[in-house]
Amino acid sequence: MIRLARVGATKQPHYRVVVIEKDRARNGRSVEVVGTYNPRTNPATVLLKRDRIDYWTKNGAQLSDRVGKLLAAAPVAVEPAAV
């Protein structure tokens, strides 16, 4: 499953987007960190490794509701063409 794991101090949330087994604890050992989400900035900062997220979803990982919304709302980064 791909979901959020909370990190940061009390009342200062910051999240990692992680690939983790579904039955593990929220902040348990993850398989891979595939992004970050900081809701405290204006606008909220979302950094995602889309290639790794695509890899894991093709191999059967499910997105949590919140990660699905973040993925849909995050702008698609366009990489410059190779010269």
Side-chain angles (χ1 to χ4, degrees):
M1 176 157 227
I2 300 175
R3 64 182 183 195
L4 296 176
R6 184 186 162 124
V7 293
T10 304
K11 298 192 179 187
Q12 296 181 351
H14 187 87
Y15 300 91
R16 289 184 185 142
V17 181
V18 296
V19 178
I20 192 169
E21 293 179 27
K22 188 171 183 146
D23 57 348
R24 288 207 183 255
R26 177 192 71 189
N27 291 337
R29 190 177 75 202
S30 61
V31 176
E32 182 179 355
V33 177
V34 293
T36 60
Y37 169 56
N38 186 357
R40 297 180 4 195
T41 59
N42 191 10
T45 306
V46 180
L47 300 172
L48 299 171
K49 298 178 186 174
R50 290 193 182 252
D51 57 333
R52 296 304 294 165
I53 292 173
D54 291 340
Y55 168 80
W56 283 108
T57 54
K58 287 178 185 173
N59 285 311
Q62 297 176 350
L63 299 173
S64 69
D65 293 338
R66 179 55 54 192
V67 172
K69 290 178 184 179
L70 290 176
L71 195 61
V76 176
V78 177
E79 296 189 19
V83 177

